[in-house]
Amino acid sequence: QVQLVESGGGLVQPGGSLRLSCAASGIIFTITDMGWYRQAPGKQRELVATTGEATLYAESVKGRFTISRENDKNTMYLIMNNLKPEDTAVYYCNMRRVYIPKFDHWGQGTQVTVSS
């Protein structure tokens, strides 16, 4: 049974910071590619950042967000600095593998609201 649990979301003022965490169980963490996605109301889910063989960021968050992982804790993080109102969304943890054994798992999401 695979389980991904996001935490760390909440309400923050523009310019503030948050750290999102994604704790994984039921997978071999060290062979997994992973990333963060977000979905704002009325919009499709979009990539925020991924980490694996290479680390990638959406242009809208580059320089402000940092993705990291701690393999010994089976946990992935997203450090978000200088938050903007347009960052408001539900943030989802994703862990996947494109090679055998293939898998693609998603967490339930955590709400991030950036507002004055």
Side-chain angles (χ1 to χ4, degrees), residues 4 6 20-22 29 32-38 45-52 54-57 67-69 76-78 91-97 104-107:
L4 306 180
E6 299 101 332
L20 305 184
S21 299
C22 176
F29 198 82
T32 303
D33 293 324
M34 57 196 69
W36 290 94
Y37 294 74
R38 67 187 182 187
R45 191 171 298 183
E46 64 177 355
L47 171 71
V48 177
T50 62
T51 184
T55 300
L56 302 172
Y57 295 94
I67 189 171
S68 64
R69 58 196 283 180
M76 175 180 64
Y77 304 96
L78 183 68
Y91 283 71
Y92 296 92
C93 170
N94 172 254
M95 297 191 181
R96 68 188 185 277
R97 181 175 167 84
D104 190 357
H105 301 292
W106 294 86

Side-chain angles (χ1 to χ4, degrees), residues 22-84:
C22 176
S25 61
I27 65 170
I28 304 174
F29 198 82
T30 54
I31 67 168
T32 303
D33 293 324
M34 57 196 69
W36 290 94
Y37 294 74
R38 67 187 182 187
Q39 187 169 21
K43 296 184 178 180
Q44 292 187 320
R45 191 171 298 183
E46 64 177 355
L47 171 71
V48 177
T50 62
T51 184
E53 188 169 328
T55 300
L56 302 172
Y57 295 94
E59 287 297 321
S60 60
V61 307
K62 190 175 296 183
R64 299 188 298 119
F65 292 9
T66 302
I67 189 171
S68 64
R69 58 196 283 180
E70 290 186 293
N71 291 341
D72 58 346
K73 296 182 178 180
N74 280 14
T75 302
M76 175 180 64
Y77 304 96
L78 183 68
I79 310 301
M80 305 186 293
N81 295 315
N82 192 24
L83 284 160
K84 303 175 180 179

